[in-house]
């Protein structure tokens, strides 16, 4: 039951080129930077990434993106990542943009063993009707567009069918974790990390504080260890290395 792995490099050693990876984080909060850096140093390429965003300020997934290691992104927010936008418009990157709540539920559904579900989000738009540019041709044209999705009516309201998401691996960052893989997340880092952890067939968690089994009360667990296969304990320096995306100060 002891799922602790000595190093981040050892934890991601079997992630192959072309793997699909769900990655936790919300903005710069709760991003598994140490595991992402280990993937970068291993030279893994051709990744299909599922994440709320694709990194910012040259951190998180932006490290892999800038190195050309990501082939496809399923996400809900591009934000201020200029390199993401450049690669997308140049036809270097395939991107599936979906509503943020739908992304969250697709990850949760996949982890819960639910193959698909209906949602009203996106009905009457290209999300349901198809035609969203997944890949550009680099000349301003669309090389690959999203397909149409099934729409059904329930009690007078139309809903679009969305597929649950399962990935080969998942990388998450938790505030606390024990040797059995039970995880606790802090504030905004709880937005997508638990969902990513559920969606991965092999989930790897970097934890800021590693504790012994029993030290986390059952009611405090956000993700039970059954969803987690490997745990990496961060050093105090790694745990404290947290960037601020938008710094606001009063006059």
């Amino acid at each position: 039951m002891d799922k602790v792995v000595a190093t981040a490099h050892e934890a991601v050693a079997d992630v192959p080129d072309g793997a699909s990876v769900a990655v936790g984080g919300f903005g710069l909060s709760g991003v598994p930077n140490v595991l992402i850096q280990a993937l970068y140093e291993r030279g893994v390429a051709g990744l299909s990434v599922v994440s709320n965003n694709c990194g910012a300020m040259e951190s998180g997934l932006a490290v892999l993106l800038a190195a050309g290691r990501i082939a496809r992104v399923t996400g809900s927010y591009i934000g201020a990542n200029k390199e993401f936008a450049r690669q997308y418009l140049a036809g270097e990157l395939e991107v599936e943009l979906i509503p943020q709540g739908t992304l969250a539920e697709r990850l949760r559904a996949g982890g819960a063993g639910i193959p698909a579900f209906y949602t009203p989000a996106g009905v009457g738009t290209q999300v349901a009707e198809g035609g969203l540019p997944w890949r550009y041709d680099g000349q301003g044209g669309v090389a690959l567009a999203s397909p149409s999705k099934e729409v059904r009516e329930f009690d007078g309201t139309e809903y679009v069918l969305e597929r649950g998401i399962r990935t080969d691996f998942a990388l998450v960052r938790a505030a606390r974790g024990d040797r059995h893989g039970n995880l606790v997340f802090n504030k905004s880092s709880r937005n997508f990390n638990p969902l990513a952890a559920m969606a991965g067939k092999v989930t790897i968690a970097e934890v800021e504080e590693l504790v012994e089994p029993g030290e986390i009360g059952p009611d405090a667990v956000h993700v039970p260890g059954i969803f987690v296969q490997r745990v990496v304990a961060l050093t105090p320096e790694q745990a404290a290395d947290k960037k601020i995306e938008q710094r606001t100060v009063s006059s």
Side-chain angles (χ1 to χ4, degrees), residues 72 74-75 96-110 113-130 132 134 146-152 154 159-166:
R72 190 179 197 278
T74 300
E96 181 183 1
L97 283 173
I98 57 178
Q100 192 166 87
T102 301
L103 174 63
E105 182 60 13
R106 286 181 67 183
L107 288 165
R108 190 204 68 83
I114 299 170
F117 60 92
Y118 287 97
T119 173
V123 171
T125 73
Q126 287 181 305
V127 170
E129 297 166 0
L132 286 171
W134 279 2
S146 66
S148 61
K149 298 175 182 177
E150 178 186 337
V151 176
R152 287 185 61 184
F154 296 90
Y159 296 80
V160 60
L161 183 68
E162 294 282 2
R163 297 283 302 271
I165 292 175
R166 289 284 279 161

Side-chain angles (χ1 to χ4, degrees), residues 6 8 10-11 13 29 37-38 62 66 91 94 117 133-134 140 142 147 172 188 193-194 202 211 224 231 237:
E10 182 181 341
S29 175
Q37 183 66 28
E94 186 174 314
F117 60 92
W134 279 2
V142 178
V172 300
S188 295
N193 269 302
V202 175
V211 300
V231 175
E237 293 75 21

Side-chain angles (χ1 to χ4, degrees), residues 5-13 23-24 28 30-42 59-61 63-64 171-174 204-208 231-243:
V5 180
T7 67
H9 286 80
E10 182 181 341
V12 301
V23 181
L28 298 185
V31 179
N33 287 308
V34 175
L35 292 171
I36 291 171
Q37 183 66 28
L39 273 185
Y40 169 76
E41 292 173 2
R42 280 199 58 237
S59 67
L61 286 171
V63 173
L64 294 172
L171 308 180
V172 300
R173 178 171 180 144
I204 309 167
E206 60 179 62
V207 300
E208 296 173 9
V231 175
V232 178
L234 300 181
T235 66
E237 293 75 21
Q238 290 170 330
D241 185 16
K242 299 179 182 179
K243 295 179 174 61

